[in-house]
Amino acid sequence: MVLNWIWVGFFIIAFVIAVIKLVFWGDFDVFPAMMDSTFSSSKTAFEISLGLTGVLSLWLGIMKIGEKGGVVNVLAKLLSPIFTKLFPDIPKGHPVTGSIFMNIAANMLGLDNAATPLGLKAMEQLQDLNQKKDTASNPMIMFLVLNTSGLTLIPISILVYRAQMGAAQPTDIFIPILLATFFSTLAGIAITSIFQKINLFNRTIMLTLGGAALVVAAVIWGFGQMDSILMNKVSTSAANIMLMLIIIAFILAGVRKKINVYDAFIEGAKEGFTTAVRIIPYLVAILVGIGVFRASGAMDMLIDGIKYGVEACGGNTDFVGALPTALMKPLSGSGARGMMVDAMTTYGADSFVGRLSCIFQGSTDTTFYILAVYFGSVGIVKTRHAVACGLLADLAGIIAAIAIAYLFFG
């Protein structure tokens, strides 16, 4: 229901603003721009779904091998202590915990192409456990928030963009991004736990979160000892080596179990095609709404309003120039990426705004895109508190990013 009203709101707000611009400012281009955005956004949605087909088929095929080879069950047993606390409604040792772990690991390594099909597989398994097939369950919402909070250890794509834009030290935003995304994830877990009445103050969760903090600190320290060229090489190589090791491990596990790994792969790959087709309507809906909202000028007016409010309160407005990236990120990953590049082009890659826009890009994920794709893939229409938790985690990431940017570059 929440997603429904947000989607309707995009169109109503866009239409009202377009009428005002036409009547009072004589802007005859606004309605053609809005209509053009509906066609281009629909095309983009189809192209995204089409592009996902091959990747979905590949990874769902690999996951099917891992499932039949017993790897997913092993992961589920290893993760059972922490997952039974964060996902109390999932039966202990259920294979979905392995799928959730694989998805989170892919996200942390910045492997978006692998993370999406793994996440869709996890959603299908969560839907099997769901008693109300049209309503998001508590485990689904916690899983979605872990995705939308955007925990990333290796933001390689952002480093590459900074290098292309002429940054003197492309990796200077590496540690700020890790800190911001870590706070966003912690906030997402805490907020969702409050909604779902999950007790976080127990030994298992505290040890796990503490251990995660130590791992993040170790990664920050290790990469902090490298120059930009070495960091890019090591992070890229590490991510791809780990990905290939996963594929090989799953195949070897299947061989060890004496299953026909080729047939298992084909069985899983077939699911990839049907899943890609199933998400097309949901992607078209959300991307068209976002496109109309942007084309009407509503986003620009929102930014100007925030700047005026901050100035009226006597606050520092240096961060406002980077806000388009932060506000666009929950709506569109490619849109936010374009905003980030635009900020670095306009203000300079090494400016405060340029750096902050990169931290925004790396500290959260595309909340509405993830909700549309993941929930759409299993037919969920009642999202309950998923949108609220996801957006609050995004807000925590934005606030953390601003504070950290002032700390490092202010």
Side-chain angles (χ1 to χ4, degrees):
M1 183 62 70
V2 176
L3 194 58
N4 169 63
W5 285 113
I6 290 173
W7 189 73
V8 171
F10 283 149
F11 286 93
I12 293 176
I13 294 171
F15 181 78
V16 171
I17 290 175
V19 170
I20 292 173
K21 292 174 74 173
L22 176 63
V23 174
F24 293 99
W25 300 336
D27 187 350
F28 289 94
D29 295 328
V30 61
F31 277 102
M34 289 169 63
M35 287 308 304
D36 287 344
S37 73
T38 63
F39 295 117
S40 61
S41 298
S42 300
K43 180 181 178 182
T44 299
F46 178 76
E47 289 174 346
I48 290 173
S49 299
L50 189 64
L52 278 174
T53 304
V55 181
L56 280 169
S57 297
L58 168 64
W59 282 100
L60 291 183
I62 294 296
M63 284 296 291
K64 182 62 69 174
I65 295 174
E67 183 181 324
K68 292 191 172 184
V71 177
V72 174
N73 286 330
V74 170
L75 287 173
K77 291 178 181 178
L78 291 174
L79 295 169
S80 183
I82 180 63
F83 273 63
T84 53
K85 304 297 182 182
L86 289 180
F87 300 90
D89 294 336
I90 296 179
K92 188 175 181 179
H94 193 279
V96 70
T97 56
S99 300
I100 292 174
F101 171 77
M102 296 293 292
N103 167 263
I104 294 172
N107 274 321
M108 291 173 67
L109 295 172
L111 304 170
D112 296 337
N113 287 339
T116 300
L118 294 172
L120 292 173
K121 178 65 176 179
M123 285 298 291
E124 289 181 2
Q125 292 172 314
L126 288 172
Q127 180 70 331
D128 290 338
L129 297 172
N130 191 10
Q131 298 298 316
K132 298 180 180 179
K133 298 302 182 183
D134 65 339
T135 304
S137 64
N138 282 350
M140 284 180 172
I141 295 173
M142 177 64 80
F143 175 58
L144 262 293
V145 172
L146 287 175
N147 271 266
T148 60
S149 61
L151 181 61
T152 303
L153 291 181
I154 307 176
I156 185 63
S157 61
I158 298 175
L159 303 182
V160 171
Y161 276 113
R162 284 186 55 74
Q164 291 175 339
M165 298 301 295
Q169 187 62 265
T171 57
D172 58 6
I173 46 83
F174 177 73
I175 292 177
I177 284 178
L178 281 179
L179 294 174
T181 189
F182 188 63
F183 284 119
S184 174
T185 301
L186 285 180
I189 292 174
I191 293 166
T192 308
S193 296
I194 292 173
F195 271 95
Q196 300 181 2
K197 298 180 180 179
I198 297 173
N199 179 23
L200 293 180
F201 297 99
N202 62 75
R203 185 171 179 270
T204 302
I205 291 181
M206 295 302 290
L207 285 175
T208 302
L209 294 180
L214 289 176
V215 170
V216 170
V219 171
I220 291 173
W221 180 85
F223 279 100
Q225 310 304 307
M226 306 176 189
D227 59 38
S228 59
I229 297 176
L230 181 60
M231 179 186 289
N232 289 339
K233 288 183 178 178
V234 171
S235 59
T236 303
S237 298
N240 285 287
I241 288 171
M242 292 182 71
L243 195 58
M244 183 54 67
L245 284 175
I246 289 172
I247 294 175
I248 296 299
F250 277 31
I251 292 175
L252 291 178
V255 172
R256 182 175 177 274
K257 283 279 189 176
K258 297 181 179 179
I259 66 170
N260 188 321
V261 293
Y262 180 80
D263 287 347
F265 177 86
I266 297 300
E267 180 184 346
K270 288 178 180 178
E271 298 176 10
F273 178 79
T274 56
T275 300
V277 172
R278 195 162 58 241
I279 66 176
I280 291 176
Y282 299 91
L283 268 183
V284 171
I286 197 68
L287 291 186
V288 168
I290 292 169
V292 169
F293 187 78
R294 291 179 60 191
S296 70
M299 180 65 75
D300 293 334
M301 295 179 70
L302 180 60
I303 296 299
D304 291 340
I306 293 174
K307 184 174 183 180
Y308 176 80
V310 174
E311 288 177 342
C313 296
N316 187 303
T317 60
D318 290 347
F319 70 93
V320 176
L323 277 182
T325 303
L327 296 178
M328 183 55 63
K329 190 61 189 285
L331 304 175
S332 168
S334 59
R337 194 178 304 114
M339 296 291 189
M340 177 187 71
V341 172
D342 180 68
M344 287 192 284
T345 302
T346 303
Y347 297 94
D350 290 327
S351 66
F352 179 81
V353 171
R355 286 179 169 129
L356 179 55
S357 65
C358 294
I359 301 173
F360 280 146
Q361 177 72 3
S363 61
T364 58
D365 214 327
T366 50
T367 300
F368 287 106
Y369 171 86
I370 291 173
L371 286 170
V373 172
Y374 281 25
F375 280 157
S377 68
V378 292
I380 295 294
V381 294
K382 298 178 182 178
T383 59
R384 299 175 61 217
H385 52 277
V387 175
C389 291
L391 291 180
L392 287 172
D394 289 340
L395 178 61
I398 290 171
I399 294 172
I402 294 172
I404 290 166
Y406 274 113
L407 178 65
F408 278 79
F409 309 116

